[in-house]
């Protein structure tokens, strides 16, 4: 049950991170006008990144212990690499295009959480005592 909850919360955290990156790149002036300029704060960006990473690592670890599906683990790994590359790339000005990589990484993490939920449910439906 913990894994399903972590995947649900992790999906929200990853989607929030990806959406934040997308919105900030498209409408920073609008956010300031609407009084939501605090979203452009570096601390908020690191906080969203940290929550997405934390939930992904926890969900991947606990979920894999139950379902043993390496495709899910690979998805989490790929999403984490992309999101980390984007965050560090943007923070350290390493390369252009961090927005695309960040949104891609967040989307991969959301997909991995959803795949983990499906695999866990299938595992439990098969009456596997380890699930």
């Amino acid at each position: 049950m913990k894994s399903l909850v972590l995947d649900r919360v992790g999906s929200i955290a990853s989607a929030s991170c990806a959406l934040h990156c997308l919105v900030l790149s498209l409408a920073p002036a609008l956010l300031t006008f609407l009084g939501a300029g605090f979203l452009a704060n570096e601390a908020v960006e690191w906080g969203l990144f940290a929550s997405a990473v934390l939930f992904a690592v926890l969900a991947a670890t606990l979920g894999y212990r139950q379902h043993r599906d390496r495709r899910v683990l690979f998805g989490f790994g790929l999403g984490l690499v992309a999101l980390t590359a984007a965050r560090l790339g943007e923070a350290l000005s390493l390369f252009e295009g961090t927005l695309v990589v960040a949104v891609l990484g967040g989307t991969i993490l959301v997909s991995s959480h959803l795949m983990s939920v499906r695999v866990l449910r299938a595992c439990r439906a098969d009456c596997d005592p380890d699930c």
Side-chain angles (χ1 to χ4, degrees), residues 112-131:
S112 298
H113 282 292
L114 296 176
M115 186 186 330
S116 181
V117 168
R118 282 193 305 273
V119 170
L120 283 167
R121 284 186 178 154
C123 184
R124 290 181 182 154
D126 291 340
C127 298
D128 187 344
D130 292 331
C131 287

Side-chain angles (χ1 to χ4, degrees), residues 53-72:
V53 169
L54 175 69
F55 285 111
V57 169
L58 288 173
T61 303
L62 292 177
Y64 184 75
R65 285 182 185 171
Q66 295 175 20
H67 57 63
R68 300 282 186 208
D69 192 325
R70 291 185 182 180
R71 296 173 300 166
V72 176

Side-chain angles (χ1 to χ4, degrees), residues 22-32:
L22 188 61
V23 168
L24 279 183
S25 69
L26 298 176
L30 179 62
L31 287 175
T32 303

Side-chain angles (χ1 to χ4, degrees), residues 74-117:
F74 176 76
F76 278 118
L78 185 62
L80 287 169
V81 166
L83 198 60
T84 301
R87 185 69 213 122
L88 292 176
E90 196 266 328
L92 303 173
S93 301
L94 297 176
F95 61 93
E96 294 294 319
T98 56
L99 164 68
V100 174
V101 178
V103 172
L104 180 64
T107 302
I108 292 170
L109 285 179
V110 170
S111 299
S112 298
H113 282 292
L114 296 176
M115 186 186 330
S116 181
V117 168

